[in-house]
Amino acid sequence: MKRIGILSSHNGSGFDTILEACENKILDAQVVLVISNNSNAKVLEKASKKDIPNFVINTKKYPNENLDEKITNLMLEFKIDYIFLSGYMKKIEKNLLEKFPNKIINSHPALLPKFGGNGMYGRFVHEAVIKAKEKESGCTIHFVNENYDEGEYLLQKSISLLQDEKVETLEEKIKELEKVAVVEAFLKLTI
């Protein structure tokens, strides 16, 4: 059984998706660790309710420490096989990338390479897609490397946009699509 660590900054909808797939035996895996940079993140509450160890690692709590090293050490201590970024708003740094090559996975709410990079997350992506008058959008599940949204793709799923698509409706559609794509991507990794 593979061991999954989650990095999340807010609600952790990807955490919910992976946890449900593990609990329903769709994935032969378990979520064993949650780390957030936000002490108010709802994902921490969710993890606590499921008795999953969870930690807050940020500069407020550890002002003089190397946070990348701290996160990496926890991932190693918990013997993590794969790390999933569930709305994690910090750039992944060198230490973690070196210790977990092709083991850190992200879901991006667009069809990369379009609408990726620094500052392109959540609602900003959907606004850009609509402004560009794209006929389709989707999500990309990819490995994480040293650059935002440039790692090797595991899979992409697409949907057609309505002629009068709104940011809110597109966002909801992509969230639903991501739920399916995340599980498929982990299954592809033979979990």
Side-chain angles (χ1 to χ4, degrees):
M1 185 176 288
K2 298 294 183 188
R3 297 168 65 82
I4 299 174
I6 303 285
L7 287 173
S8 183
S9 295
H10 299 291
N11 293 329
S13 56
F15 161 80
D16 297 336
T17 297
I18 292 171
L19 185 64
E20 186 178 312
C22 292
E23 289 176 345
N24 292 329
K25 308 288 187 224
I26 295 165
L27 297 178
D28 184 23
Q30 62 184 34
V31 177
V32 297
L33 175 66
V34 173
I35 297 173
S36 182
N37 60 307
N38 175 1
S39 57
N40 297 316
K42 283 190 171 60
V43 71
L44 297 169
E45 279 176 46
K46 294 175 184 180
S48 290
K49 284 180 183 170
K50 293 288 185 175
D51 293 323
I52 298 169
N54 56 88
F55 300 86
V56 175
I57 297 180
N58 59 29
T59 52
K60 282 183 190 165
K61 194 165 182 174
Y62 302 102
N64 302 315
E65 296 187 44
N66 180 331
L67 301 185
D68 178 39
E69 196 173 287
K70 203 155 196 54
I71 292 169
T72 303
N73 289 342
L74 269 173
M75 293 292 182
L76 291 169
E77 180 186 328
F78 279 82
K79 298 177 175 49
I80 298 301
D81 295 301
Y82 290 101
I83 299 167
F84 183 73
L85 307 185
S86 182
Y88 190 61
M89 304 307 288
K90 295 284 183 186
K91 190 166 186 182
I92 301 303
E93 295 185 39
K94 185 179 177 190
N95 221 22
L96 196 59
L97 287 168
E98 285 177 357
K99 297 285 190 214
F100 293 91
N102 287 334
K103 300 291 183 184
I104 306 171
I105 298 154
N106 185 46
S107 176
H108 184 77
L111 296 171
L112 293 173
K114 290 181 172 184
F115 309 106
N118 192 11
M120 291 303 279
Y121 59 89
R123 187 176 185 89
F124 299 118
V125 174
H126 308 307
E127 287 170 351
V129 166
I130 289 171
K131 186 177 179 185
K133 297 182 180 3
E134 293 290 320
K135 299 223 182 303
E136 67 175 9
S137 189
C139 62
T140 305
I141 311 298
H142 65 94
F143 288 118
V144 174
N145 66 15
E146 63 280 355
N147 300 313
Y148 285 114
D149 302 323
E150 290 184 14
E152 178 189 342
Y153 304 165
L154 276 159
L155 64 86
Q156 289 186 309
K157 287 195 160 300
S158 63
I159 58 167
S160 296
L161 270 67
L162 299 173
Q163 204 166 359
D164 61 344
E165 193 78 60
K166 303 285 182 259
V167 173
E168 296 76 18
T169 58
L170 181 57
E171 187 172 33
E172 283 308 309
K173 290 176 188 176
I174 299 297
K175 281 181 181 177
E176 289 304 309
L177 191 64
E178 282 181 303
K179 288 178 186 178
V180 174
V182 166
V183 174
E184 277 185 27
F186 273 100
L187 285 170
K188 196 172 174 181
L189 295 168
T190 66
I191 285 185

